[in-house]
């Protein structure tokens, strides 16, 4: 990447009213972040989704944004922080599939963010002994089967820090996704673990330095935890919590989600039980369950689904009819077209896929076979 373009890309993230999606529209329209900063207001207004008000805001914010971006560029160069831009070839492929992927993010570490297999593991901050044991056994067994597996979590109290520490214990690379800049570690109690992760894993954020760990930042960072991985596993969760948000985001991306069930009376299993009940997560009780569900077991061949279920003709099925007309649909678009909640549509899509009628692609896209 041209050195000057890094400055403009960081500046792009500082423009008020311009989030990740609009930033990508601007980059696509002008070809580079630098051209966005040089464009006249009349040209900015022509970009889909911008309009007169936002164009005026961009024009008035540009000078200050570049000034702050220059300060950030000095910080990341001084601290040997890698800047990943959406326009880069090495931008993590799984994350690039997500419509709200960040235009830039900051990374320190040694782990390959395009590793062959990446697993996100999340859960409650109030982890029980049951959750701790499940985490320890899951990571230990996954490490035995896949020594190069990359583990993602959020470095928070409870399940997150247990995940990172067990990954390190089993010599697995592990990356923590932060809700603040790389000039600090929160919580401070996890500083030593974070330091170890830099040597065998890393720390990642889309927040600039001097950003405090505000509540809303944790919700925003969850999309990175979900988007960087092949699948998300929820260890424990109450009825509400950040790990359920991460699971919902992963589900919306069309990624696999799995959860450990618990007793109906256990507060911190209620969220997992609900995910399974709503067909938003598959039920697992071990690493073996997870590996078989993902077809990661090289010794166990995944039998083609067409052989398991006889192919039957369903030309009048509404999903098949829509796919014949349009060629492909995102799961959310299908739900809108059929006026049906996604959680009710998903089992129908699963059945059609098992029968060999349709095929699921990364990012929640469905096509006819």
């Amino acid at each position: 990447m041209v050195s000057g373009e890094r400055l403009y890309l960081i500046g792009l993230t500082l423009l008020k009213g311009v989030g990740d999606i609009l930033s990508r529209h601007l980059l696509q329209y002008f070809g580079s972040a630098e051209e966005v900063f040089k464009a006249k207001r009349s040209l900015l207004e022509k970009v889909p989704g911008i309009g007169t008000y936002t164009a005026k805001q961009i024009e008035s914010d540009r000078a200050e944004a570049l000034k702050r971006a220059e300060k950030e560029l000095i910080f990341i160069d001084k601290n040997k922080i890698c800047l990943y831009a959406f326009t880069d070839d090495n931008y993590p492929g799984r994350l690039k599939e997500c419509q709200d992927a960040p235009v830039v993010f900051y990374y320190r570490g040694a782990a390959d963010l395009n590793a062959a297999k990446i697993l996100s593991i999340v859960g409650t901050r109030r982890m029980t002994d049951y959750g701790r044991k499940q985490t320890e056994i899951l990571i230990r067994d996954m490490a035995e089967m896949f020594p190069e597996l990359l583990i993602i979590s959020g470095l928070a109290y409870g399940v997150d820090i247990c995940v990172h520490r067990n990954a390190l214990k089993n010599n697995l690379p592990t990356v923590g996704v932060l809700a603040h800049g790389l000039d600090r570690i929160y919580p401070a109690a996890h500083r030593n673990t974070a330091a170890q992760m830099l040597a065998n894993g890393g720390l990642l954020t889309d927040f600039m330095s001097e950003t405090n760990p505000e509540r809303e930042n944790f919700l925003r960072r969850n999309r990175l935890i979900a988007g960087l991985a092949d699948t998300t596993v929820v260890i424990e969760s109450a009825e509400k919590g950040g790990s359920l948000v991460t699971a919902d985001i992963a589900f919306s991306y069309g990624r696999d989600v799995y959860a450990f069930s618990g007793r109906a009376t256990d507060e911190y299993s209620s969220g997992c039980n609900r995910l399974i009940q709503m067909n938003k997560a598959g039920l697992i009780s071990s690493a073996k369950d997870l590996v078989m569900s993902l077809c990661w077991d090289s010794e166990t061949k995944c039998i083609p689904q067409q052989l398991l279920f006889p192919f039957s003709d369903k030309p009048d099925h509404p999903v098949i009819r829509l796919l014949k007309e349009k060629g492909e649909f995102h799961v959310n678009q299908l739900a809108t077209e059929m006026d049906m909640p996604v959680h009710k549509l998903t089992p129908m899509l699963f059945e059609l896929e098992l029968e060999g009628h349709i095929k699921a692609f990364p990012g929640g896209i469905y096509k006819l076979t």
Side-chain angles (χ1 to χ4, degrees):
M1 185 198 307
V2 179
S3 180
E5 182 67 2
R6 293 195 306 157
L7 175 69
Y8 290 105
L9 281 164
I10 295 172
L12 191 58
T13 68
L14 294 165
L15 297 175
K16 295 175 183 176
V18 180
D20 295 315
I21 296 175
L22 279 184
S23 293
R24 285 162 65 172
H25 287 172
L26 287 165
L27 287 172
Q28 186 175 17
Y29 191 90
F30 289 104
S32 72
E34 183 175 0
E35 290 303 315
V36 174
F37 277 80
K38 293 180 177 179
K40 294 181 179 180
R41 190 196 303 179
S42 57
L43 279 177
L44 291 168
E45 291 175 353
K46 295 180 180 180
V47 180
I50 297 298
T52 304
Y53 177 81
T54 305
K56 183 179 179 180
Q57 190 76 51
I58 291 172
E59 189 178 52
S60 64
D61 286 348
R62 286 188 289 201
E64 191 63 32
L66 283 181
K67 184 178 178 181
R68 177 63 182 89
E70 187 173 7
K71 181 180 178 181
E72 190 66 16
L73 198 56
I74 293 171
F75 169 78
I76 65 175
D77 285 345
K78 179 181 178 181
N79 292 281
K80 296 181 173 56
I81 294 168
C82 295
L83 177 73
Y84 279 78
F86 190 82
T87 50
D88 291 342
D89 291 337
N90 66 340
Y91 191 94
R94 297 169 180 85
L95 188 59
K96 198 170 232 182
E97 295 172 353
C98 307
Q99 64 177 6
D100 56 351
V103 170
V104 300
F105 67 83
Y106 309 94
Y107 176 62
R108 280 189 68 191
D112 179 7
L113 300 178
N114 280 305
K117 291 180 174 60
I118 304 180
L119 184 65
S120 287
I121 307 177
V122 295
T124 178
R125 297 185 181 204
R126 299 183 178 183
M127 180 177 58
T128 68
D129 288 339
Y130 169 75
R132 181 176 292 103
K133 184 176 180 180
Q134 293 287 24
T135 303
E136 291 173 354
I137 295 173
L138 174 67
I139 293 177
R140 181 200 67 195
D141 292 350
M142 292 299 292
E144 289 179 1
M145 291 183 278
F146 305 103
E148 304 300 321
L149 175 67
L150 173 59
I151 301 289
I152 307 281
S153 198
L155 202 70
Y157 288 112
V159 170
D160 286 13
I161 194 63
C162 184
V163 166
H164 293 306
R165 286 171 177 166
N166 276 280
L168 291 170
K169 178 182 177 181
N170 288 278
N171 297 313
L172 287 179
T174 181
V175 169
V177 182
L178 311 179
H180 48 78
L182 286 172
D183 57 336
R184 64 198 69 194
I185 293 296
Y186 177 85
H190 298 166
R191 188 179 298 277
N192 289 340
T193 301
Q196 295 175 51
M197 290 165 63
L198 292 176
N200 191 25
L203 301 173
L204 182 153
T205 183
D206 63 333
F207 293 102
M208 295 170 50
S209 62
E210 301 180 8
T211 302
N212 292 320
E214 307 290 349
R215 176 180 170 80
E216 59 270 19
N217 294 356
F218 286 92
L219 296 176
R220 177 176 156 185
R221 69 91 192 262
N222 288 342
R223 80 194 196 287
L224 300 186
I225 296 176
L228 284 163
D230 298 296
T231 190
T232 295
V233 173
V234 184
I235 298 289
E236 280 189 305
S237 176
E239 283 282 356
K240 295 181 179 180
S243 56
L244 295 188
V245 174
T246 306
D248 276 336
I249 295 171
F251 184 81
S252 74
Y253 290 159
R255 304 289 168 84
D256 291 312
V257 179
Y258 295 93
F260 284 89
S261 65
R263 293 178 298 188
T265 54
D266 289 348
E267 178 183 359
Y268 294 105
S269 288
S270 59
C272 292
N273 292 342
R274 180 61 61 87
L275 282 174
I276 296 166
Q277 182 184 39
M278 295 176 67
N279 294 313
K280 284 190 173 182
L283 168 63
I284 59 171
S285 59
S286 65
K288 182 179 178 181
D289 288 348
L290 179 62
V291 170
M292 290 182 66
S293 297
L294 293 171
C295 293
W296 280 4
D297 190 346
S298 59
E299 297 178 0
T300 304
K301 301 292 183 181
C302 291
I303 302 171
Q305 292 168 345
Q306 298 95 305
L307 301 179
L308 289 171
F309 295 84
F311 187 92
S312 57
D313 190 21
K314 291 188 178 181
D316 295 327
H317 195 289
V319 170
I320 293 176
R321 189 167 62 249
L322 285 169
L323 290 175
K324 281 182 178 179
E325 292 174 2
K326 299 292 184 179
E328 66 177 46
F329 268 105
H330 187 275
V331 63
N332 292 337
Q333 292 175 314
L334 272 172
T336 300
E337 289 286 337
M338 296 180 66
D339 192 24
M340 178 182 294
V342 171
H343 73 270
K344 289 187 177 181
L345 175 62
T346 303
M348 186 185 300
L349 294 173
F350 183 61
E351 180 183 352
L352 289 171
E353 189 178 2
L354 287 178
E355 293 179 352
H357 293 287
I358 65 175
K359 186 174 181 181
F361 290 86
I365 300 297
Y366 287 87
K367 299 180 183 180
L368 291 174
T369 53

